Amino acid sequence: MTARVLIIAGSDSGGGAGIQADIKTVTMLGGHAMTAITAITAQNTVGVNAVMPVPTDTVIAQIDAVLSDIGADAVKIGMIGSPETARAVAERLTLETVPVVFDPVMVATSGAALADTATIAAFAALMARATVITPNLPELAALGGLEAAMAQGCAVLEKGGHAKGETVVDRLYEHGEMIAEWDAPRIDTGSTHGTGCTLASGIATGLAQGLPMEAAIGRARDFVRLSLLNAPGLGKGRGPMGQQDVRNDGLFTGPALNQVTLAATDYDASVRFYKLIGLTQIVDSPDNGYARFEAANGATLSIHVGGSLGGAMIYLESGALDSWCAYLARKGVRIDQWPRDEDWGWREARLVDPAGNSVCLYHAAEYRRFPPWRI
């Protein structure tokens, strides 16, 4: 059954953050997005020009309408609008048992304030109901720091994007201890509008689909990074991300058939041929006899001079590669190469099918379409 995600947040007229980013994220990750809008904003990539909170009774009416009919498997909370709405939403959600992801939105990417002091003070009621909260470093400080946030009883994902340095580190805390940590190179882009909304919605979708907390966060982080790399470059300020172009990137447990490698004899001739067909070349490594191309749907094809002529290797990607291989082995499938990290950023396992065709099971996330050496 399709995972149902109720989003309680404000609307962004520019489509970069808020409800609009949430809907795109939930949809691209395979969920069904439902909404309870808490505020209407007039904003774009440059700033927020106006904010009109939705009356608390109307917010609760939206929640009731959704839950009484469709139901929900998880709830994501973003911009809350007013302290009255914060308290009312927290009280309403005590009647539900589903996971709640709370992104304590205080300031827009442009720098505009989206929550006053009274509203921030009322966040405590939402934190007490939340399964996990996802503050950035300034938001965490405004909430009283890590210990104060954990004292509310929820898990805390401390986002490190506001810290200095070329590496972004996110840390998950639960029951007073750090239980997981993720790090990745900082992506140099001005299109960061909606990163927090996208991450929280991605986590909520994963929890709604039954993923454990760490797996839901890991997949949501991959989705955010791919959305940043796919950003269309719209607007004059902090532009929207490219959630709509995160396709065939192996973010799910089940395999995605998204890469094929073919043998070649003449590097230049093969490159000309596949570019003429209409594929976009994204890797050019003539010294290694290797090139990679991207199709319009996000799938990739590589040519490799020196490979087994007439043969091909298909690549099936999964966000749960190691568990997948362990499952196959229990079912009697022979794994010729167990998952291992390769120099080109992919984690790969190898096997052959009953006819002797080579198959690579792997996980590459952003490194398939956006390796550091992408053209």
Side-chain angles (χ1 to χ4, degrees):
M1 184 175 179
T2 299
R4 305 159 297 176
V5 182
L6 171 59
I7 305 156
I8 305 172
S11 173
D12 174 1
S13 58
I19 287 286
Q20 286 81 351
D22 296 326
I23 292 174
K24 286 185 281 188
T25 299
V26 173
T27 302
M28 294 304 295
L29 288 174
H32 173 68
M34 305 163 291
T35 64
I37 298 176
T38 60
I40 299 171
T41 70
Q43 64 174 294
N44 51 31
T45 66
V46 179
V48 179
N49 300 324
V51 177
M52 183 181 75
V54 172
T56 299
D57 289 348
T58 304
V59 174
I60 299 301
Q62 294 175 79
I63 296 172
D64 288 340
V66 168
L67 296 180
S68 65
D69 177 27
I70 301 172
D73 300 299
V75 176
K76 183 264 179 174
I77 303 173
M79 178 185 179
I80 202 63
S82 71
E84 294 79 16
T85 297
R87 290 188 287 267
V89 167
E91 182 178 356
R92 175 62 183 83
L93 292 181
T94 59
L95 304 176
E96 308 298 326
T97 59
V98 299
V100 174
V101 180
F102 176 35
D103 180 23
V105 176
M106 300 178 191
V107 179
T109 302
S110 62
L114 295 177
D116 57 23
T117 303
T119 301
I120 295 172
F123 282 176
L126 292 169
M127 293 165 62
R129 172 58 186 89
T131 307
V132 60
I133 64 171
T134 61
N136 58 35
L137 295 177
E139 290 166 345
L140 188 58
L143 293 172
L146 181 60
E147 290 188 6
M150 287 192 294
Q152 299 295 332
C154 56
V156 179
L157 179 62
E158 177 191 74
K159 299 182 298 190
H162 284 72
K164 295 181 179 179
E166 295 303 311
T167 301
V168 177
V169 181
D170 298 335
R171 298 181 176 93
L172 178 64
Y173 296 87
E174 194 168 13
H175 306 303
E177 298 181 359
M178 187 182 77
I179 62 172
E181 180 178 279
W182 296 264
D183 63 80
R186 189 180 299 276
I187 296 172
D188 184 17
T189 177
S191 299
T192 57
H193 192 40
T195 49
C197 305
T198 299
L199 179 66
S201 292
I203 296 170
T205 306
L207 295 177
Q209 293 167 332
L211 293 181
M213 178 74 74
E214 291 181 42
I217 292 172
R219 187 183 72 169
R221 291 183 77 260
D222 285 345
F223 185 83
V224 168
R225 293 183 63 80
L226 284 160
S227 297
L228 288 169
L229 292 166
N230 279 292
L234 303 177
K236 301 174 183 177
R238 289 289 179 178
M241 304 163 69
Q243 296 95 334
Q244 66 277 1
D245 285 323
V246 181
R247 293 175 292 181
N248 298 318
D249 285 300
L251 298 176
F252 298 91
T253 302
L257 178 56
N258 57 17
Q259 159 72 18
V260 175
T261 296
L262 301 174
T265 55
D266 185 322
Y267 181 85
D268 292 333
S270 291
V271 168
R272 285 195 301 270
F273 175 80
Y274 285 107
K275 289 171 71 173
L276 180 63
I277 282 179
L279 300 183
T280 300
Q281 186 175 6
I282 61 174
V283 172
D284 181 23
S285 184
D287 291 342
N288 296 312
Y290 183 85
R292 190 180 309 152
F293 306 85
E294 183 176 350
N297 67 347
T300 48
L301 179 147
S302 299
I303 58 108
H304 189 196
V305 175
S308 178
L309 294 180
M313 178 176 288
I314 65 167
Y315 289 72
L316 299 170
E317 187 173 14
S318 170
L321 175 63
D322 291 57
S323 298
W324 184 23
C325 289
Y327 167 79
L328 293 175
R330 290 196 301 270
K331 293 295 184 179
V333 176
R334 175 182 169 181
I335 308 294
D336 295 317
Q337 173 189 303
W338 282 88
R340 72 184 187 195
D341 295 329
E342 305 289 0
D343 293 340
W344 47 90
W346 299 18
R347 185 167 177 79
E348 296 186 0
R350 300 290 179 91
L351 63 155
V352 295
D353 73 5
N357 297 302
S358 298
V359 180
C360 178
L361 311 181
Y362 79 112
H363 181 56
E366 66 197 74
Y367 281 88
R368 180 176 66 89
R369 294 172 53 219
F370 296 98
W373 45 86
R374 179 181 167 113
I375 295 176

